[in-house]
Amino acid sequence: MSPRKSPGRHAGWVATAVAAVLLVPAIGAPARAAAPGDPAAASSFNLKSGPDLGGQVADLKAALPTQGVQDLLDQGNRVAKTGTSCTTDPFGSGDDGNVLAPARKICWDPGDSATEEWIPQGITGVSDAQTDELWGSRKPLVTAWYDKAGGKGVRLSFLDPQTAIPGDPDGRRYRHVLLVEPYYNGFGHVSYKAVDIHAGGIAWYKYHLYVADTLNGLRVFDMRSVLDLNPDQNASVDDTTLDGLKSNVRDETRIGRQNNVYYGHAYRYVMPQVASYEFVSPQGNSSAATCVASGAPKASYISVDRSDSAAPALVMGEYCDSDDAHPEKGRVGALPIDDATGLLKSAAGVVAATGAFHLPRDLTQGAARYGGVYYFNRSWTTHSGSLRRATVSGGRLVDLGANITNAVGPEDLSFEHGQGVPGGGTQYLWSLTEHRTDTTDATCTDPGSPCGRVVYAHRVTDILARP
């Protein structure tokens, strides 16, 4: 997300982040339906299935070969760095000099770290997808980026932070995949177009990848349906497809089937949407950063809660930049997952949310929940971000401890639960930062809180040890 610009780098942010923001409306201000932390109407988060895309996806898989997640990782064409080779630092000492440094950190390839076109937003991992936290023999993370320039939509990055490149102990291969929406064109041929959404949050469960579609609900993709436009790995020559046409990975301007050639904005892999979920309640929000207090929420970010094996849940929340006329801080709710299918659990065509709360604070960019504890990332322009904790007490969502200063521009959250290790492994809270380092912007070069794009993780024990 890209919240409003601040008039000064540190003005008021430290005090706001440390103090509780439980505002009392001034005389004449709009009345609030509920106070921050109060229960919200769970039914506002209810979802219903969108249009069936099964036919389009089947036709695309008959036309183009598929590749698996492990193939994507093995054929990664970009190199991320970790360990001492990862020198990008969006943490510094923090605006207040008390930053929580990450336990793990991964730096993007220089081109992705500096690009102004693609902005990183969502994160998930195989720990969300599988109890054993493995996809075959690998332990991948997946991140989502939106195209700020417009036109190309959303891409994913598949990265295995565990597996080093031979001869490069700090190197980790990764690969981009372009998300697409399938449709039948005017000639009745199957084609696809860009998924033009913000993708502020993603969540992986079994084979299904959920992508937040802000004002509509969720889009669903399938890890078994990654289509390969260049299986011979020779980009200079168009490949012959399964249906006897051609595929091209050189032309960045085209997407879908055009003149009997399949394109993907020069990406080798495209991943078609297989389903969607739409809000049942009317949507009262708009593309503005402010929020309303009732009706369908914004699907700004999502994550998976696996702490109760009998009741896995998808956590969804809103990003809201409140003001005097729009004091709503946003809401967070939970939706049940059917462990047998990996899809959301529905009855009579409706996915019924199991609970919801008004958020204690606005500017929330990501939320995760595990063992009854909520974790919230908050971000405000190029200031240090803050990590908040909360729990349900007396029927309300209330603070658990004080503010924790973290990276500049923190986004979506994903909880690595450690259940794949006998006796329980180390738990991590993963996130990523959105702001590229801009040496021409003085607010990005402050040594206390510099800008920079990384994927990072805090040990959960380090988070809970903070007062």
Side-chain angles (χ1 to χ4, degrees), residues 124 139 388 465:
T124 187
K139 197 167 184 177
R388 304 290 314 198

Side-chain angles (χ1 to χ4, degrees), residues 255-278:
I255 188 170
R257 177 174 170 169
Q258 300 188 37
N259 298 319
N260 294 327
V261 179
Y262 294 96
Y263 299 91
H265 289 312
Y267 284 87
R268 175 179 174 181
Y269 296 108
V270 298
M271 189 175 187
Q273 180 181 329
V274 300
S276 64
Y277 292 97
E278 302 170 350

Side-chain angles (χ1 to χ4, degrees), residues 97-124:
N98 192 30
V99 73
L100 177 62
R104 301 173 71 178
K105 188 176 68 166
I106 302 167
C107 292
W108 297 109
D109 173 276
D112 291 327
S113 181
T115 181
E116 295 183 73
E117 178 182 12
W118 293 98
I119 311 297
Q121 294 290 294
I123 188 167
T124 187

Side-chain angles (χ1 to χ4, degrees), residues 85 87 125 149 155 165 183-184 192 198-199 206 334 353 405 422 432:
S85 298
T87 57
R155 70 181 187 187
I165 298 172
Y183 70 99
Y184 291 113
Y192 48 85
H198 193 75
K206 293 203 168 175
T405 304
L432 73 173

Side-chain angles (χ1 to χ4, degrees), residues 127 197 307 314 377:
S127 185
I197 59 176
S307 55
L314 185 78
N377 258 347

